[in-house]
Amino acid sequence: MASSAEPVVRDAGHDDVVAIRRFGEAHIRAHYAPLIGAAAADEQVRRWWNETHVDAAVAGGLVVVADADGHVVGVGQRGRRGADHVVYKLYVHPRHRGRGLGPRLLDALTGQLPADADRLYIEHFVANERAGAFYEREGFTVERIEPSPTGNPALGVVWRARPLAAFAKAPGQA
């Protein structure tokens, strides 16, 4: 997935749904299987990268993509948990990591938030230490860790938050 073009981060549209699903199918299992096991990784793809879920999130204006030469090389998705704004997906193609694309996707999601939003939450599996280190660098601090209902410690969920005042939105963003 080498690309000659600098990826463009943009809001996802209906025409991106198939590419987003393919991205998830191609990368999520491989990413998670060593961390949480093959069965749990497969469940992540089935549950969160299916057409119904992706299409609804895109239709709701909750997804951003990084596009390089017409290929999705990164995906970010936000949502709500009660009153809280949460980033539920933030993935970058392995060949595009380390070039600032993760922070750009995160900034795009932050820029979509309403002006009165004061905090942004993010969640990740305990076993996903690479994600934890990234979110620490981006100013997120651990608020709590929820143990997995299965008893598998790797499937525990780390909840992090950062105040948005320290990460002002760009002019013109809501």
Side-chain angles (χ1 to χ4, degrees):
M1 179 57 42
S3 171
S4 60
E6 176 68 20
V8 173
V9 174
R10 60 176 174 74
D11 292 346
H14 179 72
D15 291 346
D16 295 310
V17 170
V18 171
I20 293 167
R21 289 185 54 236
R22 286 185 182 146
F23 178 91
E25 291 166 358
H27 302 291
I28 301 310
R29 281 185 190 93
H31 175 75
Y32 279 124
L35 302 175
I36 63 175
D42 285 344
E43 179 62 18
Q44 289 298 303
V45 174
R46 273 193 304 278
R47 192 170 195 187
W48 304 114
W49 296 86
N50 65 66
E51 184 174 2
T52 301
H53 183 80
V54 172
D55 191 50
V58 168
L62 304 173
V63 181
V64 296
V65 294
D67 180 309
D69 292 332
H71 298 283
V72 170
V73 298
V75 176
Q77 180 182 323
R78 65 186 178 86
R80 298 292 289 261
R81 183 174 186 189
D84 298 329
H85 297 277
V86 181
V87 173
Y88 286 112
K89 290 179 183 156
L90 191 67
Y91 297 96
V92 174
H93 187 289
R95 291 191 194 135
H96 287 266
R97 291 181 187 151
R99 300 182 198 171
L101 196 50
R104 288 176 54 206
L105 287 163
L106 191 54
D107 288 347
L109 291 170
T110 302
Q112 292 178 338
L113 297 174
D116 64 347
D118 62 348
R119 296 173 66 76
L120 180 60
Y121 291 84
I122 201 148
E123 51 87 38
H124 64 87
F125 288 119
V126 167
N128 197 351
E129 294 175 5
R130 180 183 179 115
F134 169 78
Y135 297 132
E136 285 287 326
R137 287 190 306 271
E138 293 300 311
F140 287 86
T141 58
V142 175
E143 291 223 332
R144 69 184 182 280
I145 300 173
E146 294 176 355
S148 168
T150 68
N152 180 347
L155 293 172
V157 176
V158 178
W159 284 90
R160 297 174 182 265
R162 78 175 186 195
L164 292 174
F167 299 90
K169 298 173 192 133
Q173 293 182 322

